[in-house]
Amino acid sequence: MSEAMWGGRFTKTVDEMVNEFQASINFDKRMYHEDIAGSIAHAIMLAKCGIISDDDCGAILQGLKDIEAQIEAGEFDFSVDLEDIHMNIEKRLTEAIGEAGGRLHTARSRNDQVALDTHMYIRREVVAVQKEIINLQEALLETAKKNQDVIMPGYTHLQRAQPILFAHHLMAYFGMLSRDYARFSGVYQRADIMPLGAGALAGTTFPIDRELVAKQLNFEQIYSNSLDAVSDRDYIMEFLSAASILMVHLSRLSEETILWCSREFSFVELDDAHCTGSSMMPQKKNPDVSELVRGKTGRVIGHLMAMLTTVKGLPLAYNKDLQEDKEGIFDAIDTVKFSLGVYAQLIRGMKVKKDVMRKAVEEDFSNATDLADYLVKKGMPFRQAHAVSGTAVHKCIAEGKYLADMTLPELQELSPLFEADIAEALKPETCVNQRISLGGTSTEQVKLQLTAAQELIDAEKKTNTNLTSQQI
C-alpha cells in the first residue's frame, strides 16, 4: 500500500478493508475533467496572486493536460489506495513534474475541491438532461402533429369520460416535460455557485482571488460563507428531486403506453425495436422499455430519499457521509438520460391505431356530458340536464345501445327541448370541437398548443445551446 498523501500525522497505515471501504475512485473518476479544469484555474490564480511561481504554474498546467490526455486514452491506472480522483491526479502530477506538483494544493482542501468538481459536473449534466428533455418534447410534438385528427376516449378513474384528441393527450405530457425543463433550470442556478476558496471550512490564510477562479470556470456566483460552501448539497438534492418528478412523469406515460398496446386497448402498436418476446409464449410482444422506465422510477426516487436521509442530521461543516452524494446522483443522471433518450425513440416509432380509437369513442357513453350541455344551452338548469342525461344512459344500457342510437322521439320523451340537431351534437367530432375553452381539446385549441409548444422548444434550444457553450 502506498503512503497516504495526508498521512503525516499517522503512525499506522489504514486497514486494507477500511481503505477499500472509504475509497471513492471507482465512481468519482468520471469527474476527472472537472477536477483537472478546476486545478488549472486554481493554479493560474495562485500564480497571478504571487503564491506560486510562473514556472511552477506552467509545469502544473502542462502536467495536468498530459494527465487528462492519458485518462481519455485509457492509459491512466487509478489506484484505490489513493482514495479518490483528486488524490489520483495529484499523485501522478507530482510524480511527473516533481516538487511543483506538491504546490498545487496550496490554499485549498479536498473539501472545497470535491465541492467544486461536483458543482461543475452537475452543471454539465443538467444541460445534458435538458437536451434529452427537448428531444422527447420534439418526439411528442411530431407525433401529435401527425395525428391531429385522431379522436380517442379521455379517461378519469380509468373509465371512459369524454372524447378528446390524441394530440391533446400527448401535449399533456409535453406540458409536464416543460415544467421538468424549468425545474432543471433552477437546479443549474443553484449549482452555478463556486465553492473553491472555502478551504476545509474556514477559508485560507493565502491572498487568493476567488473571483478570478469563478470567471475562468464560468461561475455566476461565489459562496459567501465558507462553511456553507463545503457542506452544501442542496443542488444535488434538488437535482434528484427534479429527476424524480421527471421519472414519475415518464412512469405515468409508461403506464398508459403499456395499457394502450395491450390487446384490451390496442390503441397503439410499439415498434419491434422497443419490445421483446417470451421464451415460452410465441405470440408475446412485451413493452419492456416502458416497463423498465416505470421500474427505474423507483430507483431514482430511492436516490432522493437516500440523499435527504444522509444530509438531514449532519452538523457543519464537512463529514465523510457526504461522499455518499455521488453514487446516487451518478446513477440517477445515467438513468434519467437513458430513459428520456429511449422514450423519444419509442414515441417516434409508435404506430397510432386511429380506427380502433374511433370505435372506442363510438361504443361508449363519453358523449353524455355533451347531451346535458345541449339541454343547458336550450335553457335547462345543468343539474336537471345532468339527471336527464343520466336517465338516457340508463335506458340505453338496459336496451343494449348507445346515446347516438336513440331516436328523436325517444329523447323527446325525456325532454321536449331535444330537436333534430341533437344527432350532430352527439358526434365525437362535435363533442371535441365544442370544447373551445383555453387549453381545451378542440381542434383549434390544440393547434394553438402545438404552435406554442414549438415556440417553447425553440426557446429551450437557444438556452440549452448557450449553456452548453459555457461548460468548461
Side-chain angles (χ1 to χ4, degrees):
M1 180 188 296
S2 60
E3 182 180 349
M5 298 178 74
W6 42 260
R9 180 252 186 269
F10 291 76
T11 58
K12 289 184 178 181
T13 58
V14 174
D15 181 88
E16 185 65 27
M17 183 179 292
V18 173
N19 197 51
E20 292 182 7
F21 181 67
Q22 71 170 355
S24 61
I25 186 60
N26 289 330
F27 51 85
D28 69 14
K29 62 186 177 183
R30 69 162 68 191
M31 295 196 300
Y32 74 88
H33 176 76
E34 286 74 20
D35 196 73
I36 289 172
S39 291
I40 287 174
H42 183 66
I44 291 172
M45 180 275 292
L46 291 176
K48 288 187 178 293
C49 291
I51 299 171
I52 65 173
S53 69
D54 289 340
D55 287 344
D56 281 348
C57 179
I60 289 170
L61 298 188
Q62 187 58 55
L64 289 171
K65 292 174 183 177
D66 291 343
I67 290 171
E68 184 166 34
Q70 292 168 19
I71 293 174
E72 292 179 344
E75 300 170 354
F76 192 102
D77 294 325
F78 295 100
S79 171
V80 172
D81 290 342
L82 294 171
E83 297 183 28
D84 53 34
I85 185 63
H86 328 295
M87 287 301 192
N88 269 265
I89 289 175
E90 185 178 335
K91 178 72 171 178
R92 178 65 65 85
L93 178 67
T94 302
E95 291 173 348
I97 67 173
E99 192 174 80
R103 293 194 170 94
L104 173 61
H105 208 57
T106 306
R108 75 175 181 182
S109 162
R110 272 195 296 177
N111 293 357
D112 60 346
Q113 184 181 1
V114 67
L116 174 69
D117 292 0
T118 311
H119 274 270
M120 292 176 65
Y121 185 82
I122 294 298
R123 279 195 318 186
R124 177 159 61 89
E125 291 301 331
V126 164
V127 176
V129 168
Q130 287 184 316
K131 186 174 182 179
E132 293 296 339
I133 290 174
I134 293 171
N135 184 35
L136 180 51
Q137 285 179 310
E138 287 184 314
L140 289 167
L141 182 57
E142 291 165 13
T143 305
K145 285 181 175 179
K146 291 178 182 177
N147 297 279
Q148 291 186 59
D149 63 336
V150 176
I151 300 175
M152 67 175 293
Y155 292 82
T156 63
H157 308 279
L158 205 55
Q159 303 292 313
R160 293 178 190 174
Q162 293 177 335
I164 61 171
L165 291 178
F166 178 67
H168 188 62
H169 197 117
L170 292 183
M171 294 311 294
Y173 285 101
F174 183 98
M176 296 179 204
L177 289 169
S178 69
R179 296 191 295 276
D180 292 323
Y181 185 98
R183 266 183 285 272
F184 278 103
S185 294
V187 176
Y188 190 95
Q189 291 177 12
R190 257 72 73 190
D192 198 21
I193 311 173
M194 195 197 72
L196 199 65
L201 78 161
T204 176
T205 61
F206 293 94
I208 62 173
D209 185 346
R210 298 185 72 199
E211 288 81 5
L212 175 59
V213 177
K215 185 176 180 180
Q216 291 183 78
L217 299 176
N218 291 334
F219 276 98
E220 186 68 26
Q221 302 178 65
I222 300 172
Y223 278 96
S224 60
N225 183 287
S226 59
L227 288 167
D228 187 30
V230 296
S231 62
D232 174 30
R233 295 299 185 272
D234 290 2
Y235 63 101
I236 293 179
M237 291 185 284
E238 192 172 358
F239 185 103
L240 291 170
S241 175
S244 295
I245 296 171
L246 168 59
M247 288 300 294
V248 166
H249 291 155
L250 295 185
S251 184
R252 296 182 73 181
L253 178 57
S254 293
E255 178 67 13
E256 295 204 302
T257 302
I258 292 164
L259 289 172
W260 289 347
C261 69
S262 69
R263 182 73 172 176
E264 286 71 21
F265 278 77
S266 197
F267 286 177
V268 302
E269 182 178 351
L270 300 182
D271 190 88
D272 287 356
H274 304 122
C275 298
T276 64
S278 166
S279 61
M280 174 180 272
M281 298 166 284
Q283 83 282 7
K284 294 296 293 298
K285 185 176 181 180
N286 301 324
D288 281 25
V289 167
S290 297
E291 292 172 350
L292 274 173
V293 169
R294 185 176 61 183
K296 288 177 183 293
T297 298
R299 181 171 174 164
V300 175
I301 293 171
H303 291 319
L304 171 60
M305 295 301 104
M307 193 64 211
L308 291 170
T309 305
T310 296
V311 175
K312 77 174 184 63
L314 294 184
L316 296 176
Y318 182 80
N319 298 272
K320 191 69 169 180
D321 312 50
L322 291 175
Q323 181 173 295
E324 288 297 301
D325 63 356
K326 293 176 190 62
E327 287 182 276
I329 190 69
F330 293 162
D331 183 69
I333 288 168
D334 294 343
T335 301
V336 166
K337 287 164 63 177
F338 169 81
S339 298
L340 287 166
V342 75
Y343 239 102
Q345 295 178 10
L346 183 146
I347 293 295
R348 287 189 171 102
M350 182 173 65
K351 178 183 177 182
V352 178
K353 297 184 177 181
K354 176 180 178 180
D355 293 342
V356 176
M357 291 189 188
R358 173 66 187 223
K359 184 178 180 183
V361 170
E362 290 176 341
E363 295 181 353
D364 66 14
F365 294 97
S366 60
N367 53 1
T369 303
D370 296 88
L371 188 146
D373 287 347
Y374 173 92
L375 292 173
V376 171
K377 291 173 183 177
K378 296 287 187 176
M380 182 181 291
F382 178 76
R383 283 302 169 201
Q384 184 180 343
H386 186 284
V388 171
S389 181
T391 301
V393 170
H394 179 77
K395 179 179 174 61
C396 286
I397 292 174
E399 297 177 4
K401 59 185 181 182
Y402 300 101
L403 292 175
D405 299 324
M406 293 186 73
T407 65
L408 182 57
E410 285 178 314
L411 288 168
Q412 288 176 334
E413 287 179 10
L414 301 176
S415 172
L417 294 177
F418 285 114
E419 299 179 26
D421 58 350
I422 183 59
E424 183 66 28
L426 294 179
K427 289 181 179 179
E429 288 81 5
T430 306
C431 296
V432 165
N433 288 318
Q434 286 294 308
R435 284 172 168 77
I436 57 175
S437 56
L438 183 64
T441 192
S442 70
T443 300
E444 289 306 313
Q445 282 297 317
V446 170
K447 284 181 179 178
L448 292 175
Q449 291 179 47
L450 298 179
T451 299
Q454 185 60 63
E455 292 173 353
L456 180 61
I457 286 175
D458 293 341
E460 289 173 346
K461 279 186 171 181
K462 184 176 180 180
T463 300
N464 190 257
T465 299
N466 290 337
L467 288 178
T468 300
S469 67
Q470 294 175 26
Q471 303 312 301
I472 301 301

